Amino acid sequence: MYSTVVAIFDEYGAAQSAANALFHEGFTQSSIKLSPAQAKALPKTDSHWEMAHLLRAFFSNDQHADDADMYAEAVRRGAYLLSVEVSEQGQGKHVIDIVGRFHPVDLAQRPPQDRGTRH
């Protein structure tokens, strides 16, 4: 069974460093995605719509629709989304441990009005 681990970063450098660490720990380049892939925010056009739909697929049901919208809004406002597809049991925790070293944003700890903003 495949699952996806997602993390939000305020800074591109931290997100890229986390992606590099995952690669060096043996995760394949095809399983690691960074959006946007460059150090600039997505334009406020259809890219936001596409990101929202991609995230809804990650969260896979209406129960988590608010989470998908929160992550999409963070990216729309300039944050960086790192996603890692894992296929083996235990890999998800390993990904979380690696990514955690680079201090991803905990959107739930931000006030609701700030969950999509960079600090």
Side-chain angles (χ1 to χ4, degrees):
M1 181 175 100
Y2 287 93
S3 60
T4 304
V5 177
V6 296
I8 289 286
F9 291 88
D10 283 334
E11 302 298 327
Y12 177 78
Q16 184 61 58
S17 293
N20 288 341
L22 289 162
F23 180 72
H24 290 295
E25 287 286 328
F27 292 90
T28 63
Q29 198 69 37
S30 64
S31 69
I32 304 166
K33 304 279 188 282
L34 181 57
S35 299
Q38 300 174 18
K40 63 179 180 176
L42 292 172
K44 296 179 183 180
T45 60
D46 290 339
S47 295
H48 174 67
W49 181 85
E50 291 168 7
M51 179 61 65
H53 284 278
L54 173 66
L55 287 166
R56 283 186 189 275
F58 284 159
F59 291 102
S60 75
N61 63 40
D62 289 338
Q63 175 186 354
H64 300 291
D66 289 342
D67 291 338
D69 291 341
M70 184 173 57
Y71 281 93
E73 181 63 13
V75 172
R76 187 187 74 78
R77 292 183 181 214
Y80 300 91
L81 176 86
L82 178 66
S83 64
V84 185
E85 190 174 274
V86 297
S87 60
E88 296 177 21
Q89 189 173 16
Q91 279 187 321
K93 174 144 179 35
H94 189 52
V95 168
I96 291 167
D97 290 344
I98 294 167
V99 170
R101 293 185 291 202
F102 299 92
H103 310 290
V105 173
D106 184 350
L107 293 176
Q109 296 299 316
R110 289 189 175 168
Q113 68 274 14
D114 292 337
R115 288 188 180 160
T117 59
R118 295 181 356 168
H119 288 267

